[in-house]
Amino acid sequence: MKPLAALVEALPVPALRLDAGALLTVAPFLPRFLAAGPLNAQQLNDPFARTVERAGVTDPFARRWLDLLCFCLSGLPADGTVTAEMAMMFGEFYKPQAIMDYPVGGVKSLVEALVKGLESHGGSLRLNTPVKQLVMSSGTCHGVELVNGDVLEASSVVCNVSAWDLPKLLPTSVSSQTWCRERAAMPATKSFMHLHVGFDARSLELKQLQPHYICLEDWTRGVEAEENAVLISIPSVEDPSLAPEDCGVLHAYTPATEPWERWKDLDRRSAEYKALKEQRAEFLWKQLERIIPDLRQRSKVHMIGTPLTHQRFLNRHQGSYGPRIKAGEAEFPGASTPIAGLVLCGDSCFPGIGVPAVAGSGLLAAHATGLETLPAQLKELQRLFS
């Protein structure tokens, strides 16, 4: 993986753009890219399973472990995850003195930092403000209309709705176009079961626990099997401020293995739905009890999330993790669209699913709005890589 990781690092995503400005943004990185061996670059688009085979990995446990790493990142095992994603992750994992950071104050602090950055550049954030439709005239997108009737004008609109939700915001004449229908036809990954627990931590040595666990009940069943893999985070191990004194919080979830079909026809207010929630959360409880055996007795509050929770609170199509695009068979579409003024980002776009990939899609979208972004991009590249 070393030469592949070197290639990914040699040409960083912040330098990429798809117009003539790339001649200026990419040029400073070309010597390092050429030195890293560009003949290997074609492998970056291969399924990671092909890279594993080239490396001669035959041990069954090692193969399943690599499948799990891929699945946690992309929602697909090694035969569907693009090698470039794993090259980037391997490069980070195995750097000298590499550690796994945890943000003080939880993930909320990262969101607050992003909002601060937005507002410091003159932007504003509107919460609980759904968009009714994109405003278009003469084939150009020049703003959005909110459900409350307000219209926000813009020279460019960067839109991160999913491929399945985009047609709902477009006029019929546009949503029926081939490019839009092809996006909406992308297959979806499965959804999640979540269990959040606030618990009494008295007499429990939290510092003796790990902040993160991965539980796999049966390696032979594979990472995509239902009720097999669980990811667990206990942030109170690192940051006691996230819970009241003598208490802790944790989160356990199944990584995109819960089928939408089981839930799609249920009423969230029904007894049937509530019973199924408890039933499907039982597997999560059992995995947590491998770490804290008396957790149920310690529990002060617990909340269960389902595919319907994902759909309702995250506006996720079928509560899914994102599009199921298999490397080697199809590619994620880019940021550009046939509509002038409309640029897309998010996990329905290249590079794909997962926080690192979606962050990359945001950078690519910013650079796709026009050459007027070039000076700011060059300035930022100088700051990041000088």
Side-chain angles (χ1 to χ4, degrees):
M1 295 301 292
K2 283 186 177 180
L4 296 176
L7 272 172
V8 171
E9 193 168 297
L11 191 58
V13 173
L16 301 180
R17 57 188 301 134
L18 300 178
D19 56 24
L23 295 173
L24 295 176
T25 60
V26 171
F29 300 95
L30 282 180
R32 191 168 61 167
F33 182 75
L34 294 173
L39 292 178
N40 292 321
Q42 62 182 15
Q43 297 181 33
L44 293 175
N45 290 323
D46 286 345
F48 185 60
R50 199 171 299 167
T51 301
V52 173
E53 289 163 7
R54 289 194 189 103
V57 181
T58 58
D59 180 78
F61 175 79
R63 298 281 297 235
R64 292 178 183 124
W65 169 244
L66 292 171
D67 264 340
L68 181 61
L69 289 180
C70 289
F71 196 75
C72 291
L73 181 66
S74 73
L76 290 165
D79 64 358
T81 300
V82 68
T83 292
E85 280 193 84
M86 298 308 294
M88 184 270 290
M89 296 302 291
F90 266 75
E92 293 293 322
F93 283 165
Y94 294 104
K95 281 183 177 177
Q97 309 303 318
I99 59 171
M100 186 73 78
D101 287 320
Y102 193 89
V104 174
V107 177
K108 175 186 174 183
S109 62
L110 299 182
V111 177
E112 290 172 345
L114 290 170
V115 174
K116 182 179 179 181
L118 171 71
E119 293 176 344
S120 69
H121 288 280
S124 62
L125 178 68
R126 299 193 183 198
L127 302 176
N128 297 319
T129 312
V131 172
K132 179 180 179 181
Q133 62 184 351
L134 297 171
V135 178
M136 296 184 58
S137 61
S138 303
T140 298
C141 182
H142 56 84
V144 296
E145 179 185 353
L146 308 179
V147 292
N148 64 8
D150 289 351
V151 174
L152 307 180
E153 296 284 345
S155 58
S156 294
V157 174
V158 179
C159 180
N160 78 330
V161 300
S162 74
W164 308 286
D165 294 311
L166 181 62
K168 302 172 186 176
L169 302 180
L170 293 169
T172 304
S173 59
V174 177
S175 63
S176 61
Q177 291 180 11
T178 301
W179 71 274
C180 195
R181 286 190 285 108
E182 286 177 348
R183 284 177 181 261
M186 290 194 289
T189 61
K190 292 180 181 179
S191 190
F192 299 75
M193 287 298 302
H194 293 272
L195 179 58
H196 294 268
V197 184
F199 57 93
D200 186 337
R202 284 176 296 185
S203 74
L204 182 65
E205 293 293 335
L206 272 178
K207 291 297 181 182
Q208 301 303 312
L209 301 178
Q210 296 295 322
H212 298 288
Y213 292 88
I214 297 176
C215 297
L216 207 68
E217 191 161 83
D218 184 351
W219 284 94
T220 65
R221 292 180 62 206
V223 297
E224 294 187 279
E226 278 188 49
E227 294 196 331
N228 195 31
V230 173
L231 275 64
I232 297 169
S233 174
I234 313 178
S236 296
V237 170
E238 298 290 345
D239 188 357
S241 71
L242 296 175
E245 188 177 356
D246 294 327
C247 293
V249 290
L250 60 79
H251 171 214
Y253 65 95
T254 55
T257 56
E258 183 70 12
W260 167 252
E261 290 72 22
R262 177 177 284 129
W263 301 86
K264 65 178 183 178
D265 296 324
L266 294 179
D267 183 336
R268 290 185 295 101
R269 295 171 292 274
S270 68
E272 181 184 6
Y273 174 64
K274 293 174 182 177
L276 185 59
K277 281 175 66 174
E278 297 293 339
Q279 176 190 326
R280 297 300 293 167
E282 184 63 22
F283 176 68
L284 296 172
W285 280 113
K286 288 181 178 178
Q287 302 309 308
L288 287 168
E289 286 168 341
R290 295 168 66 179
I291 302 164
I292 306 176
D294 60 346
L295 180 63
R296 291 195 220 213
Q297 289 73 46
R298 292 178 174 274
S299 173
K300 289 177 171 289
V301 60
H302 76 271
M303 296 182 290
I304 301 170
T306 73
L308 291 182
T309 311
H310 265 244
Q311 181 196 47
R312 179 187 180 195
F313 289 101
L314 304 180
N315 267 343
R316 295 299 293 181
H317 168 76
Q318 297 183 356
S320 79
Y321 188 31
R324 186 181 171 83
I325 303 296
K326 293 192 68 173
E329 296 182 5
E331 295 181 354
F332 281 89
S336 301
T337 72
I339 302 173
L342 177 62
V343 175
L344 303 180
C345 65
D347 59 15
S348 290
C349 299
F350 176 84
I353 292 176
V355 172
V358 169
S361 82
L363 288 167
L364 295 172
H367 304 159
T369 57
L371 283 171
E372 63 269 18
T373 63
L374 185 57
Q377 183 182 2
L378 290 170
K379 182 179 179 181
E380 189 65 11
L381 289 174
Q382 178 69 19
R383 185 185 72 84
L384 289 172
F385 299 103
S386 61

